[in-house]
Amino acid sequence: MATVMERIQRGTPTFSVEFFPPKTDEAERTLWNTVRSIEPLDPAFVSVTYGAGGSSRDRTVRTTGRIATDTTLTAMAHLTAVDASMDDLRHVIGSYAEAGISNVLAIRGDPPNDKDAEWVPHPAGFSYTEELVHMVRRLGTFCVGVAAFPYLHPRSGDEDSDTRFFVQKVKAGAEFAITQMFYDADQFLRMRDRIAAAGCEIPIMPGLMPITNPKAMERGADFSGAALPAAMTERLEPLVDDAAAFREAGIDLCVELSQRMYDEGVGNIHYISMNRHPAVVDVVQRLGVAATPAV
């Protein structure tokens, strides 16, 4: 399987898509409809998330492995250190290797049930992402990515400490980063500039999600950890009672933000799909980065 680094370094703008492992048979059918609809568009890669404390570990391994073996897509699996011992993590990494997965996004992860709670390491686990990155690199020939935070990591005291911890993850072996979801382009660019000023220039991919309904607007603010920019809410709030107009405005905003990212030199944008394809398909086709029209 190709690595994420190989796939994003094509010399032209690319995109990637994030899924989460399904919990029911119906959800699995929805996911695979999405996977098959996105496959002809030739994303650089697709990723599958991983629940806190291993709550979706087996489904993540199974789903990512099936993508790797049954489709033409390059697959990446998430891996978190929450509530996991080093033995647990070795087992998961081995399962990824056996499933033919060669790309891993290593993240420390949020506390289960309450992402804002105090983070407590497993007694036999890791305290920092850089330790997890070291382990993944040591146990196989994986291409490893990490997270970046335009609004600062929730537990970073200031920009200097946030930058320092990010650089440590890169020194541990990370080759690329994907940001926490954001909607403020300037916040991303400031983060990228301060990381580059520290001598670290790995690819940092924006994590974006099209806002297509009022519930997604609330979810976007929660996932990003910051209020949506005023300019976005001013365009969306008057349309909350008009589903079609709201969706169109949300797609417009995502296309505009994505184009700004490409114009600023970003090579790949990572779209959070919520396991449904229409909004992501609309965005990438309007941007002209999809290989073919979707079926």
Side-chain angles (χ1 to χ4, degrees):
M1 178 183 290
T3 68
V4 165
M5 291 298 290
E6 290 168 342
R7 293 288 293 163
I8 66 174
Q9 295 177 327
R10 304 189 206 178
T12 58
T14 58
F15 74 98
S16 53
V17 183
E18 180 174 298
F19 307 125
F20 60 84
K23 296 181 180 180
T24 66
D25 290 344
E26 181 180 359
E28 186 160 2
R29 286 191 292 272
T30 297
L31 170 61
W32 284 100
N33 179 48
T34 296
V35 169
R36 290 306 187 184
S37 296
I38 285 176
E39 186 176 9
L41 308 184
D42 193 28
F45 64 94
V46 299
S47 71
V48 181
T49 62
Y50 183 104
S55 60
S56 65
R57 180 181 66 195
D58 292 342
R59 290 190 299 272
T60 298
V61 174
R62 184 168 62 250
T63 301
T64 315
R66 183 179 172 190
I67 291 173
T69 58
D70 293 0
T71 77
T72 60
L73 297 165
T74 295
M76 179 179 74
H78 291 213
L79 178 68
T80 76
V82 177
D83 285 351
S85 69
M86 285 184 275
D87 284 343
D88 293 333
L89 293 167
R90 290 189 190 97
H91 175 74
V92 176
I93 295 166
S95 297
Y96 286 161
E98 290 175 6
I101 299 161
S102 57
N103 302 288
V104 173
L105 186 72
I107 52 180
R108 192 174 71 171
D110 294 323
N113 304 318
D114 181 2
K115 65 182 180 62
D116 297 318
E118 181 181 358
W119 197 89
V120 179
H122 187 284
F126 292 133
S127 296
Y128 300 103
T129 304
E130 64 182 279
E131 299 171 305
L132 184 57
V133 173
H134 270 303
M135 172 179 276
V136 176
R137 294 301 299 264
R138 188 172 66 250
L139 294 179
T141 55
F142 293 98
C143 179
V144 183
V146 292
F149 299 87
Y151 304 114
L152 301 185
H153 188 283
R155 294 167 185 83
S156 289
D158 51 43
E159 289 188 351
D160 288 343
S161 60
D162 191 81
T163 303
R164 184 171 63 254
F165 287 129
F166 182 85
V167 172
Q168 288 172 354
K169 293 189 289 188
V170 175
K171 289 181 177 178
E175 298 178 66
F176 64 90
I178 299 174
T179 73
Q180 179 185 40
M181 188 192 303
F182 71 92
Y183 293 97
D184 187 329
D186 292 334
Q187 285 292 128
F188 170 84
L189 294 171
R190 282 194 289 270
M191 177 204 68
R192 190 179 66 171
D193 287 348
R194 62 179 166 82
I195 289 173
C200 182
E201 296 186 353
I202 67 168
I204 302 177
M205 310 176 207
L208 305 181
M209 183 180 77
I211 295 176
T212 56
N213 56 61
K215 184 176 180 180
M217 184 164 62
E218 296 176 7
R219 186 186 297 124
D222 181 56
F223 284 178
S224 67
L228 299 182
M232 290 189 68
T233 57
E234 288 170 4
R235 286 173 63 175
L236 292 173
E237 286 181 347
L239 305 174
V240 293
D241 295 322
D242 186 335
F246 190 102
R247 184 185 188 283
E248 185 64 21
I251 296 296
D252 287 344
L253 285 164
C254 192
V255 169
E256 292 165 14
L257 179 54
S258 299
Q259 189 60 60
R260 172 85 186 276
M261 294 292 95
Y262 287 133
D263 291 345
E264 293 285 355
V266 165
N268 186 83
I269 296 175
H270 192 64
Y271 292 103
I272 291 85
S273 72
M274 303 306 294
N275 286 14
R276 297 184 181 275
H277 67 274
V280 171
V281 169
D282 286 352
V283 169
V284 299
Q285 289 189 328
R286 285 180 52 181
L287 288 163
V289 295
T292 61
V295 176

